[in-house]
Each structure stands twice: as structure tokens, then as C-alpha cells.
Amino acid sequence: MDISSVSGNTLPPEIQAQYAVKCIQMARATTEAVGSIIEDTVEFSKEAMEKYLSELQ
């Protein structure tokens, strides 16, 4: 959701600011979660490749 969706409402500026902060926090948390998933995937892929290569020998 976007802060512009509530900025036109009659909500007090404090509430609009709290909403904006919450949106930023959720976006940051989402980015961190995606980064963690990507790092885990790379780690698993590396381990799988090492295991595969060791079995070839």
C-alpha cells in the first residue's frame, strides 16, 4: 500500500506519518527476508554442488 492512498483522507498528520513509517518498516523487512532466502539458496546450492563433485571422484 502507498501513503498516497491515505494522504487525501482527513487523517491527522501524525497518523499519516505513523502509517508511512509502518510501510517503510514492512518494505525493509520484506527486503531482508528475500535477501536471507537468496543467501540460503546459494549456500544450499554450493553444498549440493560440492557433494555432487565429491561423488564423481
Side-chain angles (χ1 to χ4, degrees):
M1 203 181 275
D2 186 335
I3 187 63
S4 64
S5 65
V6 295
S7 61
N9 292 341
T10 58
L11 294 174
E14 297 82 18
I15 301 299
Q16 290 182 22
Q18 289 173 0
Y19 181 81
V21 168
K22 198 64 161 170
C23 286
I24 292 168
Q25 290 172 336
M26 289 188 319
R28 184 178 296 154
T30 300
T31 302
E32 290 172 2
V34 169
S36 179
I37 290 169
I38 291 171
E39 287 175 359
D40 290 347
T41 301
V42 169
E43 184 177 323
F44 295 147
S45 296
K46 181 182 175 192
E47 290 174 6
M49 181 58 77
E50 289 171 354
K51 183 176 180 180
Y52 170 74
L53 292 175
S54 71
E55 291 175 357
L56 282 179
Q57 297 173 354

